[in-house]
Amino acid sequence: MQILILPITLNEFLMKHILLLLVLLASFITLSQKTQSELLDELFTSLSTKNSFNGNVLVAESGTVIFEKSYGLANEETKQKLNLQTKFELASVSKQFTAMGIVLLEKQGKLNYDDDISNYIPELSFYDTISIRNLLNHTSGLPDYMDLFEENWDKSKFVTNEDIVLEFAKHKPELLFLPNEQFDYSNTGYALLGLIIERASHLYFEQFLTKYIFEPLKMSNTFVYRSRFSPKTIDNYALGYVNDDHGKKCLTDSFGKEYYSYYLDGIVGDGMVNSTLEDLLKWDRALYSNSLVNEEDKNLIFSSGTLSNGEKTDYGFGWFILENAKYGKIVNHSGGWAGYTTYIERHLDMDKTIIFLQNNSIPSTKIPVKNVRKILYKEPILHEKPIALKAKDLKKYVGVYSNEEFPVKLTISIIDAALYAQAEGQSAIPLEAFENHTFKFDPADITLIFTPEEGVLELLQGDKNLIFKR
């Protein structure tokens, strides 16, 4: 049987392609006519519909808000909606305030960055080479306090910063490495910084931050709050939600008083600052001025630490540091604790600000910073669709991966039917699944590509490209 091919004239051919081009051009013009605010609202509305964003978002250029909106509920039980004045626990985004507290004490002449921590915490004098700078840069080598208390603590009692010192003095856990030899993100270090602020200033942590940071900057809705250790009624407060064993949203307190986020609630320094979008924008603007500190201080805060071997840590004083070819110098920090997922990013060269405050920490929760950046810089968004994988599909990726030339092991595990990656000494981060065994964590620009049959994992981040084997 023959197939009849009808001839087409050159004019017909050109006309069809011109019509197609006009259709595509019209689509492009329609898209380009949308404002940044409209594009951002489309992005977050889509995420909210998929249960991937429940919180508040603010995007600003040169201090001018170009987008600010709330999505979802502050309280699942009462159905109270979030609004732009809702207050959130910041989790590890709090660390930048702790670091600033140390900088202000240095300016007051009450400490030096290279002082040994035993000057202020003599109970830990057996760690005789750790400096305050090591704590600020996460290069102390101190092990995580959470593991120590999980194993040894009477969980009917709250843990405080003083208890961390007493337990470390009692058990004397070995350092993971000699100070300044490696970078290892450390909640222990920032909890000790919180205590150093108290001992050097003779004020409680919350009193010092309020007196020297929040009040001068008129951050009237920012405060230190430990909701279980010292509960009180706070108007317009977002409660933090996770998933229970059945996939339903719940408060972490429903897991009982022996759950870590309950009995560790007495600790400050590595978390426990609460705030709003408006106050965090005030904080952002203050960091462009000399209202708190001078240019020399800010250069320290926003400069990467340097290890003994000369390598950079990509972490300053309470901020991650990223040099980006497109966007210039970026400083950012994420936070995750007891149902809260928070993020702040500042583009120092371009003066752009991105803030996400979420009160959900569930497998579908996203921090969509890459797409927000693209909208800010008028770049096309590539709609690379994530895929849904069941727990049984994820098992082939699970394991502990190592690289002989890289000192930190990566543990890949399944939590709540989602794949998580955890570097030694750091919190586990959720990974979004894509085709071809690819997983991503956008906030830190991390891509993991697995070859499961060979037990190989390729890690891409910035200019890093490392191969890990199981």
Side-chain angles (χ1 to χ4, degrees), residues 9-247:
T9 67
L10 180 60
N11 285 338
E12 289 174 326
F13 177 83
L14 289 173
M15 185 60 70
K16 286 183 178 180
H17 281 74
I18 289 170
L19 287 172
L20 177 61
L21 182 62
L22 288 173
V23 170
L24 292 172
L25 183 60
S27 300
F28 176 77
I29 291 171
T30 301
L31 181 64
S32 64
Q33 286 175 341
K34 291 184 179 179
T35 65
Q36 288 176 315
S37 179
E38 288 171 331
L39 291 171
L40 288 166
D41 191 29
E42 283 184 4
L43 170 64
F44 285 95
T45 298
S46 174
L47 290 169
S48 177
T49 301
K50 298 171 186 174
N51 209 21
S52 295
F53 192 92
N54 191 98
N56 289 354
V57 55
L58 180 148
V59 181
E61 291 184 315
S62 301
T64 299
V65 175
I66 65 169
F67 183 72
E68 188 179 22
K69 195 167 179 179
S70 301
Y71 300 84
L73 301 176
N75 187 312
E76 294 286 336
E77 184 178 357
T78 65
K79 304 305 177 185
Q80 175 189 345
K81 292 184 177 180
L82 294 165
N83 59 51
L84 296 179
Q85 288 72 47
T86 302
K87 306 167 187 75
F88 292 76
E89 154 72 44
L90 298 185
S92 284
V93 170
S94 304
K95 288 181 171 68
Q96 57 203 252
F97 297 103
T98 303
M100 180 60 80
I102 293 293
V103 172
L104 293 173
L105 284 169
E106 192 273 342
K107 292 180 70 66
Q108 294 171 13
K110 294 181 179 178
L111 55 76
N112 292 303
Y113 301 129
D114 294 314
D115 284 345
D116 196 298
I117 64 170
S118 62
N119 291 5
Y120 310 91
I121 311 176
E123 302 95 318
L124 301 183
S125 58
F126 55 92
Y127 295 135
D128 59 358
T129 58
I130 300 175
S131 69
I132 289 176
R133 191 186 301 271
N134 290 142
L135 301 185
L136 288 165
N137 284 333
H138 297 295
T139 56
S140 68
L142 287 165
D144 193 271
Y145 67 75
M146 292 180 66
D147 294 334
L148 187 67
F149 283 91
E150 178 64 29
E151 294 175 9
N152 301 290
W153 188 249
D154 174 2
K155 297 176 182 61
S156 66
K157 300 185 296 183
F158 285 110
V159 179
T160 66
N161 297 61
E162 295 282 355
D163 291 320
I164 292 177
V165 171
L166 292 174
E167 287 297 297
F168 269 68
K170 177 181 177 181
H171 296 283
K172 294 182 172 58
E174 291 185 8
L175 296 179
L176 302 176
F177 48 84
L178 291 177
N180 220 47
E181 280 196 348
Q182 296 180 31
F183 171 87
D184 188 21
Y185 186 86
S186 174
N187 285 311
T188 303
Y190 269 75
L192 293 183
L193 287 172
L195 184 59
I196 289 172
I197 287 174
E198 294 189 337
R199 292 188 176 183
S201 69
H202 305 292
L203 293 170
Y204 289 119
F205 178 77
E206 53 266 39
Q207 290 175 329
F208 185 88
L209 264 56
T210 299
K211 181 176 181 179
Y212 291 104
I213 301 177
F214 306 149
E215 287 182 350
L217 300 183
K218 295 181 171 53
M219 297 171 65
S220 56
N221 289 307
T222 304
F223 48 90
V224 176
Y225 178 46
R226 293 170 284 181
S227 62
R228 301 156 189 89
F229 180 77
S230 183
K232 56 185 176 182
T233 300
I234 297 176
D235 292 335
N236 199 6
Y237 191 73
L239 300 180
Y241 292 90
V242 297
N243 274 358
D244 62 18
D245 292 339
H246 304 289

